[in-house]
Amino acid sequence: LVNVSGDYYDAISIDDDKTLLVIGDVSGKGLGAALVMGIAINTIRAASDKTDLAALVRACDDAIRSMGFEDKYTVLFLGLIDVGAKRLRYVNAAMPEQFLVVRTIKGPVIRRLGSTCGIVGLVPIASVDVEDIELRTDDVLVLTTDGLTEIVNDAGIAIDQSPEFTKLMNGALDTTADELVDRLATLGETWVADKKLRDDITILTVKVGRLWD
């Protein structure tokens, strides 16, 4: 949207089974936002234990607050995929709901992964709740900043509440990750019709492979 964005994402391989997914959004734009973004990402990358999600959130909170900003903070989502244990552990620190699409005998089901703790870097975090859910073969995890989910059309309908969004997500199980990102971005760009986008759109999509021998 502007020269320096406050959105960030990463996928960090921990070992053969575990991958840490990161997506977040810093308040504001410009160099201040870029600095906070760098602090958050580098704090996570430098952590000796990237499987302790609560400790990662607290480390980011401490690092950002130590800079002395009065108006800079971040919201973020940390998702630890463990294909060996067939589990997803996650913390949603005040991000919008994220999405996990699962295949059931009745068809695709879209699970919304809501917030589990407050914003990071503004005031000390009181508690960090880590959620733990089962992963299945072909599950699709869709992570996005509010630049997508808060887009509203002329009728006042948010994109993630629309039939078009639901249809696209229901088809995620039979779509490649790249195709899904492209289709979500295209839907976001067309949802505003002839208006300009008001925020950056960042999307990270992961498809789970075969989880049994």
Side-chain angles (χ1 to χ4, degrees):
L1 184 71
V2 295
N3 289 332
V4 181
S5 168
D7 287 7
Y8 56 92
Y9 69 96
D10 206 350
I12 303 170
S13 177
I14 298 174
D15 58 33
D16 290 342
D17 289 336
K18 302 181 188 69
T19 301
L20 177 64
L21 305 176
V22 183
I23 189 167
D25 188 3
V26 177
S27 58
K29 305 291 181 185
L31 294 179
L35 178 59
V36 173
M37 174 178 62
I39 291 171
I41 284 291
N42 289 326
T43 298
I44 294 168
R45 289 177 178 172
S48 58
D49 183 1
K50 297 179 178 63
T51 65
D52 189 339
L53 302 185
L56 291 177
V57 171
R58 293 189 184 281
C60 289
D61 184 60
D62 290 342
I64 295 170
R65 287 191 295 107
S66 71
M67 298 299 295
F69 294 115
E70 295 183 355
D71 61 345
K72 292 298 179 191
Y73 59 87
T74 187
V75 296
L76 66 90
F77 180 97
L78 299 177
L80 181 65
I81 291 179
D82 187 338
V83 295
K86 302 179 179 61
R87 311 297 297 180
L88 168 67
R89 299 175 61 243
Y90 72 88
V91 172
N92 183 341
M95 286 280 285
E97 291 178 326
Q98 306 298 303
F99 306 94
L100 181 67
V101 186
V102 302
R103 193 188 303 276
T104 72
I105 58 174
K106 295 183 178 181
V109 171
I110 304 170
R111 297 186 61 176
R112 292 177 178 252
L113 312 181
S115 179
T116 64
C117 77
I119 60 178
V120 178
L122 194 59
V123 296
I125 294 177
S127 64
V128 180
D129 294 330
V130 179
E131 297 293 329
D132 188 325
I133 57 179
E134 180 185 9
L135 281 180
R136 302 176 182 178
T137 294
D138 293 336
D139 282 357
V140 179
L141 184 63
V142 180
L143 308 179
T144 178
T145 56
D146 61 6
L148 177 68
T149 54
E150 292 186 355
I151 296 176
V152 176
N153 66 5
D154 289 337
I157 300 173
I159 193 171
D160 69 331
Q161 302 298 322
S162 69
E164 292 86 347
F165 182 84
T166 301
K167 180 179 179 180
L168 195 157
M169 295 291 281
N170 281 336
L173 298 170
D174 301 310
T175 306
T176 69
D178 286 342
E179 289 172 339
L180 181 57
V181 169
D182 287 342
R183 292 176 185 181
L184 284 168
T186 299
L187 178 61
E189 292 167 354
T190 57
W191 199 247
V192 293
D194 58 348
K195 298 179 181 178
K196 292 184 178 180
L197 290 170
R198 299 177 58 187
D199 201 355
D200 308 295
I201 295 178
T202 301
I203 307 167
L204 176 60
T205 299
V206 175
K207 299 200 73 173
V208 178
R210 187 181 179 93
L211 292 182
W212 64 84
D213 296 329

